Coordinates of all heavy atoms in Angstrom, one line a residue:
T15 N -13.0 4.6 -16.8 CA -12.7 4.3 -15.4 C -13.4 5.3 -14.5 O -13.2 6.5 -14.7 CB -11.2 4.3 -15.2 OG1 -10.5 3.4 -16.0 CG2 -10.8 4.0 -13.7
G48 N -9.3 -1.6 -3.6 CA -8.1 -0.9 -3.1 C -8.1 0.5 -3.6 O -7.8 1.5 -2.9
F56 N -18.3 -0.7 -22.3 CA -19.8 -0.8 -22.6 C -20.1 -0.1 -23.9 O -19.3 0.6 -24.5 CB -20.6 -0.1 -21.5 CG -20.3 1.4 -21.3 CD1 -21.0 2.4 -21.9 CD2 -19.2 1.8 -20.4 CE1 -20.7 3.7 -21.7 CE2 -19.0 3.1 -20.2 CZ -19.7 4.1 -20.9
S118 N -16.8 8.6 20.3 CA -18.0 8.7 21.1 C -18.5 7.3 21.6 O -19.1 7.1 22.6 CB -19.2 9.3 20.3 OG -19.6 8.5 19.3
V166 N -26.8 5.2 15.0 CA -25.9 6.3 14.6 C -24.6 5.7 14.1 O -24.2 5.7 13.0 CB -25.7 7.3 15.7 CG1 -24.7 8.4 15.3 CG2 -27.0 7.9 16.1
D187 N -21.1 -6.0 6.2 CA -22.1 -5.1 6.9 C -23.3 -5.9 7.3 O -24.0 -5.7 8.3 CB -22.4 -3.9 6.1 CG -21.2 -2.9 6.0 OD1 -20.2 -3.1 6.7 OD2 -21.3 -2.0 5.2
G193 N -26.5 -9.7 13.4 CA -26.2 -10.1 14.7 C -26.6 -9.0 15.8 O -27.2 -9.3 16.8
R265 N 10.4 31.0 -31.3 CA 9.4 31.2 -32.4 C 9.6 32.5 -33.0 O 9.7 33.5 -32.3 CB 8.0 31.0 -31.9 CG 7.6 29.6 -31.5 CD 6.2 29.4 -31.1 NE 5.9 28.0 -30.8 CZ 4.7 27.6 -30.2 NH1 3.8 28.5 -29.9 NH2 4.5 26.4 -30.0
P292 N 10.9 20.1 -20.6 CA 9.4 20.1 -20.6 C 8.8 18.9 -21.4 O 7.7 18.4 -21.1 CB 9.1 21.4 -21.2 CG 10.3 21.8 -22.0 CD 11.5 21.2 -21.3
L368 N -11.0 -13.9 3.4 CA -11.7 -15.1 3.7 C -13.1 -14.8 4.3 O -14.1 -15.5 3.9 CB -10.9 -16.0 4.6 CG -11.5 -17.3 5.1 CD1 -11.8 -18.2 3.9 CD2 -10.6 -18.0 6.1
L386 N -35.4 -22.7 11.8 CA -35.7 -24.1 11.9 C -35.7 -24.5 13.4 O -36.5 -25.3 13.8 CB -34.7 -24.9 11.1 CG -34.8 -25.0 9.6 CD1 -33.7 -25.8 9.0 CD2 -36.2 -25.6 9.2
L455 N 2.3 -10.2 1.3 CA 3.8 -10.4 1.4 C 4.1 -11.8 1.9 O 5.2 -12.3 1.5 CB 4.3 -9.3 2.4 CG 5.8 -9.3 2.6 CD1 6.5 -8.9 1.2 CD2 6.2 -8.2 3.6
D478 N 38.6 3.5 -4.7 CA 40.0 2.9 -4.8 C 41.0 4.0 -5.2 O 40.6 4.9 -5.9 CB 40.0 1.8 -5.9 CG 39.3 0.5 -5.5 OD1 39.8 -0.1 -4.5 OD2 38.3 0.2 -6.2
D484 N 55.9 8.3 -6.8 CA 56.5 8.3 -5.5 C 55.8 9.3 -4.5 O 56.3 9.5 -3.4 CB 58.0 8.6 -5.6 CG 58.2 9.9 -6.4 OD1 57.3 10.6 -6.8 OD2 59.4 10.3 -6.5
Y512 N 35.4 13.3 -1.0 CA 36.3 12.4 -0.3 C 37.5 13.2 0.4 O 37.8 12.9 1.5 CB 36.9 11.4 -1.3 CG 37.9 10.4 -0.8 CD1 37.5 9.2 -0.2 CD2 39.3 10.7 -0.8 CE1 38.4 8.3 0.3 CE2 40.2 9.8 -0.2 CZ 39.7 8.6 0.3 OH 40.7 7.7 0.8
Y543 N 49.0 19.8 -14.7 CA 48.4 18.5 -14.5 C 47.2 18.3 -15.5 O 46.5 19.2 -15.9 CB 47.9 18.3 -13.1 CG 49.0 18.4 -12.1 CD1 49.2 19.6 -11.4 CD2 49.8 17.3 -11.8 CE1 50.2 19.6 -10.4 CE2 50.8 17.3 -10.8 CZ 51.0 18.5 -10.1 OH 52.0 18.6 -9.2
K579 N 52.6 16.0 -18.2 CA 52.9 15.8 -19.6 C 53.8 14.6 -19.9 O 53.7 14.0 -21.0 CB 53.6 17.1 -20.2 CG 52.6 18.2 -20.4 CD 53.4 19.4 -21.1 CE 52.5 20.5 -21.4 NZ 53.2 21.7 -22.1
A589 N 32.8 4.9 -7.8 CA 31.7 3.9 -8.0 C 30.6 4.1 -7.0 O 30.8 4.8 -6.0 CB 32.2 2.5 -7.9
L603 N 17.1 -13.9 2.7 CA 16.0 -14.1 1.8 C 16.1 -15.5 1.2 O 15.1 -16.2 1.0 CB 16.0 -13.1 0.7 CG 15.6 -11.6 1.2 CD1 15.8 -10.6 0.1 CD2 14.1 -11.6 1.6
K609 N 13.7 -16.4 -4.3 CA 14.6 -16.1 -5.4 C 14.8 -14.6 -5.6 O 13.8 -13.8 -5.5 CB 14.1 -16.7 -6.7 CG 15.0 -16.5 -7.9 CD 14.4 -17.1 -9.2 CE 15.3 -16.8 -10.4 NZ 14.8 -17.4 -11.6
K654 N 4.5 -16.7 -10.3 CA 5.4 -16.2 -9.2 C 4.6 -15.1 -8.4 O 3.9 -14.3 -9.0 CB 6.7 -15.6 -9.7 CG 7.5 -16.5 -10.6 CD 8.1 -17.6 -9.8 CE 9.1 -18.4 -10.7 NZ 9.6 -19.6 -10.0
A657 N 7.6 -9.5 -5.2 CA 7.8 -8.3 -4.5 C 8.9 -7.5 -5.2 O 9.9 -8.1 -5.6 CB 8.2 -8.5 -3.0
K772 N 9.8 -12.2 18.4 CA 11.0 -11.5 17.8 C 11.0 -11.8 16.3 O 10.8 -12.9 15.8 CB 12.2 -12.1 18.5 CG 13.5 -11.4 18.0 CD 14.7 -12.0 18.8 CE 16.0 -11.2 18.4 NZ 17.2 -11.8 19.1

Side-chain angles (χ1 to χ4, degrees):
T15 302
F56 59 93
S118 69
V166 179
D187 289 353
R265 288 183 180 170
L368 177 61
L386 283 177
L455 188 59
D478 287 299
D484 54 0
Y512 180 89
Y543 296 98
K579 284 185 177 181
L603 288 171
K609 180 181 178 181
K654 306 288 187 184
K772 186 177 181 181

